[in-house]
Amino acid sequence: MSSGFSAGERRDLAIGLGVVSAVACIAGTLVSDASITFKQPVYLVATLVAFGLGAGTTVGLSCYLFIDQSVLTPMLGASYVVAVVIGLFLGAQSSDPLLAVFPALGFFTIIAGSIEYVVRSLIGEFVEMIAPRPLV
């Protein structure tokens, strides 16, 4: 008897969460009191797309690593994205943290997840319960 999701379903779930995060980030930026003004509308659109891609990829990748291999460390990056987006909706923050942190956050998400995966794989050779495996 097989329980849980297939690999494709886990991937689709992570992609869906990334898309929801990207849309929420863009919506939060638009409804917040953060002022993003440019002389040309193309720059405004590019900024909003960068916000969405930054949030979407960070959350999507973090959720995929968590769901597919039970790697927990990158979820800290996803938690930061969620906190910033909630702050945007509540008007507590400006959009500056998004621009400053998202590129580095995506990089550190990959590095932290890779390190955790390797360490858990090595320890998993001796303690099978710690080895990376699908969460669902």
Side-chain angles (χ1 to χ4, degrees), residues 10-33:
R10 292 190 298 265
R11 182 194 64 233
D12 293 344
L13 177 61
I15 290 171
L17 290 170
V19 168
V20 167
S21 176
V23 170
C25 180
I26 292 170
T29 304
L30 292 174
V31 302
S32 74
D33 59 351

Side-chain angles (χ1 to χ4, degrees), residues 72 84 91 96 133 136:
L72 186 60
V84 169
D96 295 338
R133 62 188 179 283
V136 291

Side-chain angles (χ1 to χ4, degrees), residues 19-119:
V19 168
V20 167
S21 176
V23 170
C25 180
I26 292 170
T29 304
L30 292 174
V31 302
S32 74
D33 59 351
S35 61
I36 303 174
T37 57
F38 293 103
K39 293 179 182 177
Q40 296 180 4
V42 172
Y43 293 134
L44 176 63
V45 171
T47 301
L48 292 175
V49 168
F51 285 173
L53 285 176
T57 55
T58 301
V59 170
L61 178 62
S62 299
C63 290
Y64 180 75
L65 289 172
F66 181 66
I67 293 168
D68 195 55
Q69 294 298 321
S70 65
V71 177
L72 186 60
T73 309
M75 289 305 289
L76 297 173
S79 300
Y80 175 80
V81 170
V82 170
V84 169
V85 170
I86 289 171
L88 285 172
F89 275 110
L90 297 178
Q93 296 180 4
S94 70
S95 59
D96 295 338
L98 295 174
L99 284 174
V101 175
F102 274 159
L105 189 62
F107 174 74
F108 287 124
T109 296
I110 294 169
I111 296 299
S114 300
I115 291 170
E116 181 184 349
Y117 183 82
V118 168
V119 168

Side-chain angles (χ1 to χ4, degrees), residues 118-133:
V118 168
V119 168
R120 288 182 57 198
S121 294
L122 292 173
I123 294 172
E125 293 291 324
F126 305 105
V127 183
E128 189 174 315
M129 191 169 105
I130 295 178
R133 62 188 179 283

